Amino acid sequence: MHICHIVLNNIGGAPKVADSLISSQSKAGYEVSTVVLTVLESRWIVSFKAAKTVIVMKVAGTLFIIGGMIHQIWVAIKLSGVIAEQKPDIIVCHSAFITKLFYLSKFIPGSFSVPYISYIHSDYISESQVKCKTNSISALIQNLFISLASRIDMLALQQASGLIFVCNSLYQRLANIGLKHHRIVISYNPAIDEISNQPLHPTAKSWFNNSQLITFVCASRFHHQKDHKTLLKAFAKVSENHLNIRLILLGEGDLETEIQALAKFLDIDEIVLFAGSVLNPRAYFSLSRAVILASHFEGLPLVLVEAVASGVTFIATDCPVGPREISEVLKCGTIIPPSNVDALAAAIIDHVKTPQENIERSEQIAQLFSAASCAERLEVLIEQVISKVSIN
């Protein structure tokens, strides 16, 4: 059987999950290919080495702006040609956006007819709501395009041969707006073990080695979604009365310079470390007091699972999807309202005033967030889809 995975790019949680699935399927004897729509950096963060074939379409990032329907149709045409050359037995689309592109590609003359599974990793409803604008004619037009795109998204999901959601709350969010499907699978993403021996940032190491300091860690890209502004404002508020706290920010992104400027404006740039992208975030997690995630929205934020796997607890915002479910499943963590400086500051103070909490959830994590269970759920779904196609 030839399984083709389509991913948006090579960076982030969804590509890592796809890479894990591709590796498992390759070891199981399947022929696996991967189509990557665009590469965000010259160096591969995820390289999909286990795939027999990796095709990079090199589609410019600007083509993914919501409302750019003409561009999206152009990408769908290119995608149709790629799939026709590969001739897979089944497609796995790793986002609602890719599902839409593949759905549109099926209407291209000469396209290759093949069943597809949609693997939903993120809360794309919240993503589209962020992009909505008001108070101008151009904004009205853009909102109409967003509405049209959402309708096509829903139709593409309804027509899929199967749907996989990375958590129950994500499925419920779509079910609440009318999504109905006869073949739904809930599959938590795997918490993949680290193999890097990258040394700690020198400043981070000195902070961790100082028993008088209490250091928190946040690992997320610098993007509006992750709301570093609220995090820094809360941290600045706490630092007024707790001079021994430190914050390490792991990651990169378009807003990094802006967030650095905010840290300087708040006069906390000496106690906030911008450590950049690292290959061993768990090494930082394990030495911290807690991991903080201040996002406006998420899918299944594995950073929280990885924090717990490292033996520490977390503070996370109560997004529509993700953090609360992880907190309830693993029975740990502090959940606070999004965009609330006072609530986040209070949660940080609670962790400063209480002793270090050692978390042991290895059994639950191995059971619920393993690569094997994730691959098994997808394999069962693929077999169901293929068997139905064979009967028809």
Side-chain angles (χ1 to χ4, degrees):
M1 184 192 303
H2 178 184
I3 305 168
C4 178
H5 292 258
I6 309 177
V7 297
L8 182 59
N9 54 53
N10 58 310
I11 297 173
K16 288 181 180 178
V17 173
D19 190 47
S20 174
L21 293 168
I22 289 165
S23 179
S24 296
Q25 291 170 345
S26 180
K27 290 177 182 178
Y30 295 107
E31 178 184 350
V32 189
S33 61
T34 309
V35 176
V36 185
L37 298 192
T38 187
V39 174
L40 294 183
E41 293 187 1
S42 57
R43 62 186 180 91
W44 283 78
I45 303 301
V46 179
S47 56
F48 311 104
K49 293 179 180 178
K52 183 177 180 180
T53 305
V54 178
I55 299 171
V56 181
M57 290 177 56
K58 297 183 180 179
V59 178
T62 53
L63 298 180
F64 299 111
I65 296 173
I66 296 296
M69 291 299 297
I70 301 299
H71 294 301
Q72 292 177 20
I73 292 171
W74 178 78
V75 176
I77 293 172
K78 291 190 66 176
L79 181 60
S80 175
V82 170
I83 298 302
E85 290 179 1
Q86 293 296 304
K87 293 183 170 55
D89 296 298
I90 192 165
I91 297 284
V92 181
C93 301
H94 284 274
S95 74
F97 178 75
I98 291 174
T99 302
K100 174 175 63 182
L101 291 179
F102 181 72
Y103 174 74
L104 292 173
S105 77
K106 293 166 70 71
F107 295 95
I108 308 301
S111 63
F112 183 72
S113 180
V114 58
Y116 66 97
I117 290 171
S118 183
Y119 210 123
I120 309 301
H121 296 266
S122 64
D123 178 10
Y124 78 91
I125 298 173
S126 293
E127 291 175 9
S128 63
Q129 289 174 348
V130 168
K131 292 176 170 57
C132 289
K133 297 181 178 180
T134 58
N135 301 329
S136 73
I137 298 298
S138 62
L140 177 61
I141 294 173
Q142 182 172 347
N143 290 342
L144 288 174
F145 274 118
I146 291 173
S147 178
L148 174 60
S150 297
R151 289 176 180 271
I152 299 174
D153 286 339
M154 187 65 74
L155 185 58
L157 293 175
Q158 299 280 19
Q159 294 299 313
S161 298
L163 302 176
I164 298 182
F165 294 90
V166 295
C167 58
N168 283 291
S169 50
L170 182 55
Y171 164 61
Q172 290 299 327
R173 184 149 170 76
L174 270 75
N176 289 340
I177 62 170
L179 178 66
K180 296 180 181 179
H181 202 283
H182 64 285
R183 195 174 284 126
I184 299 288
V185 173
I186 308 298
S187 179
Y188 289 140
N189 285 340
I192 301 169
D193 292 333
E194 290 178 359
I195 57 175
S196 172
N197 293 319
Q198 181 182 18
L200 295 175
H201 187 287
T203 300
K205 186 175 181 179
S206 68
W207 288 356
F208 287 136
N209 288 338
N210 188 338
S211 61
Q212 301 302 311
L213 299 180
I214 298 176
T215 304
F216 296 84
V217 174
C218 172
S220 57
R221 61 196 171 97
F222 292 96
H223 183 275
H224 168 79
Q225 172 194 350
K226 304 300 183 178
D227 199 9
H228 287 86
K229 292 181 180 180
T230 293
L231 172 56
L232 290 193
K233 290 174 183 177
F235 204 76
K237 185 173 184 177
V238 177
S239 70
E240 293 175 0
N241 296 311
H242 299 276
L243 304 180
N244 63 331
I245 63 170
R246 299 293 185 270
L247 175 64
I248 299 173
L249 301 179
L250 304 178
E252 299 174 344
D254 294 340
L255 296 183
E256 183 172 0
T257 301
E258 181 179 336
I259 300 304
Q260 288 174 335
L262 177 60
K264 189 172 184 62
F265 174 79
L266 295 171
D267 198 23
I268 56 173
D269 51 312
E270 295 296 324
I271 62 171
V272 176
L273 171 65
F274 290 78
S277 222
V278 301
L279 300 175
N280 57 340
R282 289 196 194 185
Y284 291 80
F285 297 166
S286 64
L287 297 170
S288 70
R289 176 57 59 90
V291 171
I292 303 177
L293 187 69
S295 303
H296 293 298
F297 58 90
E298 285 288 345
L300 183 76
L302 275 180
V303 64
L304 302 183
V305 180
E306 291 169 353
V308 177
S310 303
V312 300
T313 188
F314 60 82
I315 302 169
T317 47
D318 195 9
C319 306
V321 168
R324 178 171 291 277
E325 185 167 343
I326 291 174
S327 178
E328 291 174 350
V329 166
L330 295 180
K331 295 180 172 58
C332 63
T334 302
I335 302 298
I336 59 169
S339 307
N340 191 315
V341 172
D342 291 339
L344 181 50
I348 294 172
I349 290 172
D350 283 343
H351 283 76
V352 169
K353 289 183 175 180
T354 57
Q356 175 77 46
E357 183 181 1
N358 294 317
I359 305 295
E360 172 50 56
R361 299 289 188 276
S362 56
E363 185 176 339
Q364 294 95 320
I365 290 173
Q367 179 182 0
L368 297 172
F369 300 93
S370 72
S373 63
C374 187
E376 182 181 356
R377 286 182 174 88
L378 177 57
E379 183 175 1
V380 169
L381 179 57
I382 287 175
E383 290 177 351
Q384 291 174 351
V385 171
I386 293 298
S387 63
K388 182 178 179 180
V389 171
S390 300
I391 291 173
N392 293 339

